[in-house]
Structures are given as structure tokens and as C-alpha cells.
Amino acid sequence: MKVYLTGAGLTKFGELWHYSLEDLAMQASKEALSEARVSLEKIEALYVGNMLYGKLANQDQLGALIASNLGLTVPAYRVEGACASGGLAVNLAWEAVSSGRYKNVVVVGAEKMSDDETLAVTSALMGAGGEDERKAGLTFPGLYAMMARAHSEKYGTQRSHLSSVAIKNHFHASLNDKAQFQYEIDEARIVSSIMVCDPLTLYDSSPISDGAAAVVLSSEGSRGDVYISASQVAVDSVSLSSRETLWSVPSAKLAVKKAFEVCGKGPEDVDIAEVHDCFTIAEIMAMEDLGFCKAGEGGEFIQSGKTRLGSKLAVNTSGGLKACGHPVGATGVKQIVEVYCQLRGASGKRQTDNPKVGLTHNVGGTGATAVLHILQK
Amino acid sequence: MKVYLTGAGLTKFGELWHYSLEDLAMQASKEALSEARVSLEKIEALYVGNMLYGKLANQDQLGALIASNLGLTVPAYRVEGACASGGLAVNLAWEAVSSGRYKNVVVVGAEKMSDDETLAVTSALMGAGGEDERKAGLTFPGLYAMMARAHSEKYGTQRSHLSSVAIKNHFHASLNDKAQFQYEIDEARIVSSIMVCDPLTLYDSSPISDGAAAVVLSSEGSRGDVYISASQVAVDSVSLSSRETLWSVPSAKLAVKKAFEVCGKGPEDVDIAEVHDCFTIAEIMAMEDLGFCKAGEGGEFIQSGKTRLGSKLAVNTSGGLKACGHPVGATGVKQIVEVYCQLRGASGKRQTDNPKVGLTHNVGGTGATAVLHILQK
């Protein structure tokens, strides 16, 4: 059964001190429900993507919590796969509508990271890594820095390639009033910023963010008839040390292969993509893993402007994780919201030219979980 | 599509100091896979029920972790709904096979609670409650003690009624070599034990446990053709203070109503049930909420021996959460394993007389989430 997107909701992303996770989840969910024009009685299940709230706020059971806040008594689930939690929640919701079990469901991804000290968040985020990595004292910037170094040694990827990702995504975010960082940056600013983990500077890294995103998935369409034509998940070892390669993400390659097979499309058909740029190197690897360019050419591909707003393929028009923000459990759902709005022509200043096929790429950890969606109209 | 149980695996429950959560999950999963005689290549998805490992061990992304340890690259999810996490994982897996999406999937519930101090575990478990409850200094024994007091005031439930639950479940556990407490207790021992939260003593309370349980669900049967004829979830407010009643669990009543409707059965058809006796009062309320007896008569019903091994209806033949143990994420899956073994006639010393219909009742928190399954052969 075809799965339509009939409503979307998105909070501002950023440091939202005055709102709790519950506030943000409610705001996004209600906006999505209102847009979908589906009454609450017709909602048959709720899927909540969240990674950190149990650890940072000691609140579990978010499925029941958010469902009951909305006034629902239907099946409600919290789904977790680290930074791919939102994507996994969309995937399970898609399956439930696709199979004909439900006609209307809500997915909400939410995270509240700014209420805690940086160290508490950094430690909590390492739950997405392996025990060996935590014991070794690694952090996520460290893990992605190793991938950046490996990619650089294998393919010659340079500082300027990394910078081109951040410059493009900050430009896109400057056009997005929901983005955490609505300003442009240049190479000079990047190279003079704090080195987080060589070669990754502050501006190579996605921020700590609060935010929520929600969508309503339905078996009957409306609002421009945007539908999800493929939803695929693949997994791999959690620890980078057990991976066969450091310069690519095998789970993403596997998931996108399956996704394109399901809907009969290929990378050449994609007009718009939201990819998991938790660090700049991740977007470079994504371009290669998703087949938008050849292995090793991701840096050049981005630097040449081929993924900037106005090109045939626009990548991370929201500003991506880097500049729109990365409330981890919300990210996978926000990607869907951005592509849905683009396909409907509702993206205002950052609207692309009549896109028909969109893709989202949501990654957990360094690639233990990859969730790929294809959206079409 | 009919959903068959084709394999089950269960570790010993207890304080298993020498095993990690990963060890336990692998042991149960491999046993289930081996019994199902399904090769790994045919497994299409993995659902992991877990509540606490993120908080207690800072390890998230258990879907990918356990899947990759097993050698799988297929979609893998961690599902969380506090103490109903295991039941929710079975529910999602059931839906995926029932809808025809997958032919064979694995569900594993696992928890590792004994590596931490009692206070860390007690605090972590309060994630299943509401923020108001945590701020008020409540613990789960406190919340269930309030329910016990309310039930007692409304219906006259006595100390001896509560005791009858613990005595029966310890008797059952004395026949189960996987149980945490394989010994019988009597009323004198209960009333002389530590008062945890009046009126609930030590022997009214389920223990801190380690353990894992796994099942393989398949679209084609074998091994006695036990199938899941209903899988239903209902939710309610997380905080007890927002609930309309303290002496019953509305979500359980709603879920069981839907479950019986789906399979055309009623409480009178049930031969064996595993219910969520996190505290003795919970089993008394469960008897009433599930329709096995009238409201207010749960204590008498159990005390009269009507749910003891050998009766028409046997409840918690495993020993229940009370005496078999309660590794929270494993519990909902273990309940399925117990009923499956009973329906197959594979329960050894605690085998009931040719049961045909079994029920499982898994609750998150004080009833924010309720998951009901009906199993038949």
C-alpha cells in the first residue's frame, strides 16, 4: 500500500531553554496533525524517535508519555538506534501503513540536549559507540576524525573539501528560519576556529541541539500527494574497529542499494537529499556511498558546487545537521520533513526547482545503523 | 497472515555476574534460532526489548549491536516502553510477520541490572514513572503500595491475599530451573520479612535480575504449531496521579478487550497466563482487569487456589516476575517463551494439563503501557 505524507511539523532547532522535550514533541506533533487534517480519533499508532532522554532526564516510556499527552490510548513505541532513532521510527511507521495495518499514524522525533553540561551530553552520546571505543577514551569527533584521516590518506581529501560542506550547509541554513545557525561562514572562519579533533574543527561539527519534528503517514494522500516509495534499514558493527573500511559506511551502501531497487530509481534520479552530516567528512562519504559520485570524489563533488541550492542535485537544503542543528532523535524525522516540504514547493527562500524525487540518509553512530528513505511526488 | 512461534531461548534468570548483556542476548537468541531450525540468512529483522542498558552501561543502539554480533545486517531496532519493552518488541515483530512483510524474525529481550548499586538501579527504574513522581521522591514500591492501599480500601483486600500471590509464584518457581528463586515460601516468612513500602514487604516485590529471552516468529509453523492469535497494545498516562483509578489498570483492560475481540476468545477460554506481577498487588489487579474474576475479587480468587498449577487456569507457572525474576526488558519475551513451552507440553515438572489457549500481560510502569498477547495451538 502506498504511504503518503499528509502532514509535517517542526520546531525551531537550537538551544531552546524554555521548552521541555514534551513541549517540543507536542508542538511538532500538533502542527503535523493540524496540517494533515486527520482527527485524533483516526490516529492508530505513535512512534517516537529518541536517543538520550532516558539518560539525560531519566524519563523513559516516551511512547506512552507523548501519546497520552496528545490524548491517545493507541499503541505507542519509543524506538532507539542512536542518531538514527528518528529514521527508525519513520521506518517502522512506514511499514505499518505500507502493510495495510494502519491508515494513519504519527511519528515524532525529539531530543533535548541543552539542559545538561557538555560533558554529560558528550558521555551520553558515546552510547552510540562501542564499549571498546568508550574505554579507549574516544569521542564522536575522534571517531569521525579517524574516518576523515583514513579518507584523506586513501583519496587525498583536503581541508578545503571538508570546508566546502560546512560553507554550503551554513549558506542553506541562512535561508531556513528553523535552523540553529542562520548565517554564512567562509573558509577563513573555519580554519581559524577551535580544533576539536584534528582534522575536524568546530565548524566541521554538528552542534548540541534541542528540537522536534513530526510527520503524519497515511494510506490516503492529499497535499500534493508526496509519498514514501522506499524505506530501508541496514546495520553493521557498532565499533569502528570491527569495520572492514574506515573511508566508507557499508550499512549506508547496503540500505541505499535496497532502497533504489524497491522504487526503481537510481542516484541520477534524485533531485534533493538530506544526508547525515554530523561531521563534514560524513557528507563527503555519503555522496560516495549513495552513488552521487565515485568513491574518493566526494570532496571535489561538493566543492565544485554540484550539491548547492540551484544545482540539479541539492543536498541538505535545511542546513543539514551541521547548520540546521542535530537534536539526535529528531534528525531522521526532520530530514523527512525537509524533503516533504521541498517536494510540495513549500520551502520558501530555499525552494529547489520542481523536485520530483528526494532521499534521506540517517546514520546511527559511525554507521552501525543506516536508514534510507526515498520520497516522490 | 498467521504468526507462528518456531523457536525460543531463555537464559537462567538471576544475578549473573559472569555474563554481560551481550552474552545473555546472544545465548538466548542462538538457542531460539537453533530450535527454530531457521538459518541466519533467512532472518529478515531483529527486535530488541531493553529498558536500562543505556542508563546503566551507557550502551545504546542495541539493535545494531546484537544484530551484528549475530552476523546479521538486516533491519534491527531497540524498542523501549519501560518494563513493557519486551512485550512491545514482540508486538512489532508480530505485526511485521502478520502483515506479510517478513517470513522470519528474531525478538530478544535482555536486561543486566546486577552490575550496579541498588540505588542506581532504583533511580534508573523511576524512568518508567512520571517527572512529578520522581520529584516527589516516589519509588516503584511506593507507587504500587499506593495502588495496594487503594485496592484494599475499596475492596477489603488483605495481607493474606497479597501473600497468596507470592506463595503460589514461589511454588511455581521451585519447579523451574531457570528461575531466580527456586524455593517455596510461607506466610510467616513473608510477614516477618523487611517492609519495603507498607503494605508491600520484600516478598511482595519482584527482584533485581539479569537475563535474556528470545523467540523466532515465522509465517510458517512447526514444532507443535503454536501461534500468536492476538497482539495488542494500549497506553495511558505515565503518572499515577493522572489516572482515573488507583485500583485497576485501564490500559490492560483496553488491550485485553481488543485482544479477545481479535481472536474470538474470552477469559474463560484461557488455560495458562503469564501476568505482570512486579508486586503481588499487580497480579491481583491483573486477575480482575483481564476478566478472570470480578473487580475486587482478585485476592480471594488467587487465595482459593484457582490460579495454581493443577487448576483449570494456571497463572505464572514460570514463577512470574516475583520468583522467576524480572530483568525488565526480558520479561515480556520470557512470558511468551513460558506460554509457548506450556502449549508445546515442554514445561517438565510444571507442565499444565494440555493447555490450548495462553495469555501474556506485560505492563510498563504502573500501567502507562500494556501489551497483551494470546497464544494458541
Side-chain angles (χ1 to χ4, degrees):
Chain A
M1 196 162 289
K2 229 168 174 175
V3 179
Y4 294 94
L5 282 151
T6 53
L10 186 66
T11 68
K12 172 90 172 64
F13 277 15
E15 296 188 358
L16 310 175
W17 302 98
H18 298 294
Y19 298 100
S20 70
L21 184 136
E22 291 92 325
D23 293 336
L24 297 169
M26 287 299 279
Q27 191 182 320
S29 302
K30 285 186 171 175
E31 187 184 338
L33 281 162
S34 162
E35 187 180 283
R37 293 182 199 152
V38 177
S39 65
L40 213 52
E41 299 75 48
K42 292 196 172 169
I43 297 299
E44 294 167 286
L46 174 76
Y47 303 82
V48 179
N50 174 266
M51 177 185 176
L52 299 169
Y53 209 51
K55 283 193 271 193
L56 297 181
N58 200 22
Q59 182 64 62
D60 299 297
Q61 219 175 177
L62 289 183
L65 183 72
I66 295 169
S68 61
N69 283 353
L70 283 167
L72 295 168
T73 61
V74 299
Y77 312 86
R78 174 194 164 210
V79 188
E80 184 269 319
C83 303
S85 299
L88 287 180
V90 175
N91 169 259
L92 284 171
W94 177 86
E95 288 197 348
V97 176
S98 172
S99 71
R101 172 161 307 280
Y102 298 131
K103 286 193 174 65
N104 297 287
V105 303
V106 176
V107 188
V108 56
E111 208 77 62
K112 178 71 188 164
M113 302 166 78
S114 72
D115 280 348
D116 284 271
E117 298 164 58
T118 308
L119 277 177
V121 175
T122 303
S123 166
L125 283 168
M126 272 312 290
E131 191 183 2
D132 54 343
E133 294 170 334
R134 285 189 297 278
K135 282 187 174 168
L138 277 158
T139 60
F140 265 91
L143 289 164
Y144 274 93
M146 289 201 290
M147 296 172 94
R149 284 222 169 268
H151 197 275
S152 178
E153 282 178 28
K154 172 101 177 152
Y155 298 122
T157 300
Q158 302 294 318
R159 170 70 259 165
S160 63
H161 295 129
L162 298 172
S163 298
S164 66
V165 176
I167 292 167
K168 169 181 68 71
N169 291 350
H170 268 263
F171 165 59
H172 291 169
S174 74
L175 306 172
N176 180 3
D177 62 12
K178 299 287 180 76
Q180 185 160 359
F181 303 129
Q182 299 172 34
Y183 55 84
E184 293 195 61
I185 58 169
D186 59 16
E187 176 90 27
R189 182 159 175 175
I190 297 171
V191 297
S192 64
S193 73
I194 297 164
M195 181 62 74
V196 177
C197 193
D198 197 358
L200 303 177
T201 72
L202 184 66
Y203 286 102
D204 290 297
S205 313
S206 58
I208 301 297
S209 315
D210 306 324
V215 288
V216 176
L217 303 187
S218 306
S219 55
E220 289 181 20
S222 72
R223 296 208 149 255
D225 286 347
V226 174
Y227 63 99
I228 299 179
S229 58
S231 176
Q232 292 289 332
V233 179
V235 303
D236 200 346
S237 67
V238 170
S239 291
L240 206 53
S241 59
S242 310
R243 221 70 68 69
E244 64 189 28
T245 167
L246 290 179
W247 47 81
S248 130
V249 177
S251 60
K253 292 167 85 161
L254 179 57
V256 78
K257 182 169 177 285
K258 293 194 290 177
F260 282 139
E261 273 170 17
V262 164
C263 65
K265 297 287 177 187
E268 66 284 359
D269 299 310
V270 175
D271 302 307
I272 170 161
E274 287 283 307
V275 306
H276 200 93
D277 61 323
C278 49
F279 297 93
T280 49
I281 184 63
E283 183 163 325
I284 291 173
M285 291 190 296
M287 294 303 98
E288 302 168 9
D289 291 338
L290 299 175
F292 293 137
C293 64
K294 289 184 186 161
E297 299 180 1
E300 267 301 307
F301 185 68
I302 297 164
Q303 195 171 26
S304 69
K306 286 183 180 154
T307 59
R308 197 176 164 97
L309 194 57
S311 305
K312 159 73 183 83
L313 169 69
V315 175
N316 281 336
T317 52
S318 70
L321 285 59
K322 170 65 202 83
C324 184
H326 183 28
V328 294
T331 285
V333 187
K334 182 222 74 175
Q335 295 177 326
I336 299 282
V337 172
E338 175 68 14
V339 171
Y340 166 68
C341 290
Q342 287 281 355
L343 292 176
R344 284 180 52 220
S347 293
K349 286 186 286 185
R350 64 185 192 286
Q351 179 62 47
T352 57
D353 184 24
N354 195 24
K356 296 268 194 293
V357 178
L359 175 151
T360 68
H361 159 267
N362 185 204
V363 172
T366 51
T369 305
V371 189
L372 268 288
H373 284 97
I374 311 287
L375 280 67
Q376 294 181 237
K377 72 169 177 190
Chain B
M1 197 162 288
K2 230 169 174 174
V3 179
Y4 294 94
L5 282 151
T6 52
L10 186 66
T11 68
K12 173 91 173 63
F13 277 15
E15 296 188 359
L16 309 175
W17 302 99
H18 298 294
Y19 298 100
S20 68
L21 183 136
E22 291 91 324
D23 293 337
L24 297 170
M26 286 298 279
Q27 190 183 319
S29 302
K30 284 187 171 175
E31 187 185 338
L33 281 162
S34 162
E35 188 181 283
R37 293 183 200 152
V38 177
S39 65
L40 213 52
E41 298 77 47
K42 293 196 172 169
I43 297 299
E44 294 166 286
L46 174 76
Y47 303 82
V48 179
N50 175 266
M51 177 185 177
L52 299 168
Y53 209 51
K55 284 194 271 193
L56 297 180
N58 201 22
Q59 181 66 61
D60 298 297
Q61 217 174 178
L62 289 182
L65 183 71
I66 295 170
S68 62
N69 283 353
L70 283 167
L72 295 168
T73 60
V74 298
Y77 312 86
R78 173 193 165 211
V79 188
E80 184 268 320
C83 304
S85 299
L88 286 181
V90 175
N91 169 259
L92 284 172
W94 177 85
E95 289 197 348
V97 176
S98 171
S99 71
R101 172 161 307 281
Y102 297 131
K103 288 193 172 67
N104 297 286
V105 303
V106 176
V107 188
V108 56
E111 208 76 64
K112 177 73 189 166
M113 303 166 76
S114 73
D115 280 348
D116 284 271
E117 298 165 57
T118 308
L119 277 178
V121 174
T122 303
S123 167
L125 283 168
M126 272 310 291
E131 191 184 0
D132 55 343
E133 294 170 335
R134 286 190 296 278
K135 282 187 174 168
L138 278 158
T139 60
F140 265 91
L143 289 164
Y144 273 93
M146 291 202 288
M147 296 173 95
R149 285 222 169 267
H151 198 275
S152 177
E153 282 177 27
K154 172 101 177 154
Y155 298 122
T157 300
Q158 303 293 317
R159 170 71 259 163
S160 63
H161 295 129
L162 298 173
S163 297
S164 66
V165 176
I167 292 166
K168 170 181 69 69
N169 290 350
H170 268 263
F171 166 58
H172 291 168
S174 74
L175 307 172
N176 180 3
D177 62 12
K178 297 289 179 75
Q180 186 161 358
F181 303 130
Q182 299 171 34
Y183 55 83
E184 293 195 61
I185 58 170
D186 59 18
E187 176 90 28
R189 183 160 176 175
I190 297 170
V191 296
S192 65
S193 73
I194 297 164
M195 181 61 75
V196 177
C197 193
D198 196 0
L200 302 178
T201 72
L202 183 66
Y203 286 102
D204 290 297
S205 313
S206 57
I208 301 297
S209 315
D210 305 324
V215 289
V216 176
L217 303 187
S218 306
S219 56
E220 288 182 21
S222 73
R223 297 209 148 254
D225 286 348
V226 175
Y227 64 99
I228 299 179
S229 58
S231 176
Q232 291 289 332
V233 179
V235 304
D236 200 347
S237 68
V238 169
S239 290
L240 206 53
S241 59
S242 310
R243 221 69 70 68
E244 63 188 27
T245 168
L246 291 179
W247 48 80
S248 129
V249 177
S251 60
K253 291 167 86 161
L254 179 57
V256 79
K257 182 169 177 287
K258 293 194 290 177
F260 282 141
E261 273 170 18
V262 164
C263 65
K265 297 288 178 187
E268 66 284 359
D269 299 310
V270 176
D271 302 307
I272 169 162
E274 287 283 306
V275 306
H276 200 93
D277 61 324
C278 48
F279 297 94
T280 49
I281 184 62
E283 183 163 326
I284 291 173
M285 292 190 296
M287 294 303 98
E288 301 168 9
D289 291 338
L290 300 175
F292 293 137
C293 65
K294 290 183 186 160
E297 298 181 1
E300 267 302 306
F301 184 69
I302 296 163
Q303 196 171 25
S304 69
K306 285 182 181 155
T307 59
R308 197 177 164 95
L309 194 59
S311 305
K312 160 72 183 84
L313 168 68
V315 175
N316 281 335
T317 52
S318 69
L321 285 58
K322 170 64 202 84
C324 184
H326 183 28
V328 294
T331 285
V333 186
K334 182 221 76 176
Q335 295 178 326
I336 300 282
V337 172
E338 175 68 13
V339 171
Y340 167 67
C341 290
Q342 287 281 355
L343 292 177
R344 285 180 51 220
S347 293
K349 285 186 285 185
R350 65 185 192 285
Q351 179 62 46
T352 58
D353 185 22
N354 195 25
K356 297 269 194 290
V357 179
L359 175 151
T360 67
H361 159 267
N362 186 204
V363 172
T366 52
T369 305
V371 189
L372 268 288
H373 283 98
I374 311 287
L375 280 68
Q376 296 181 235
K377 73 168 176 188

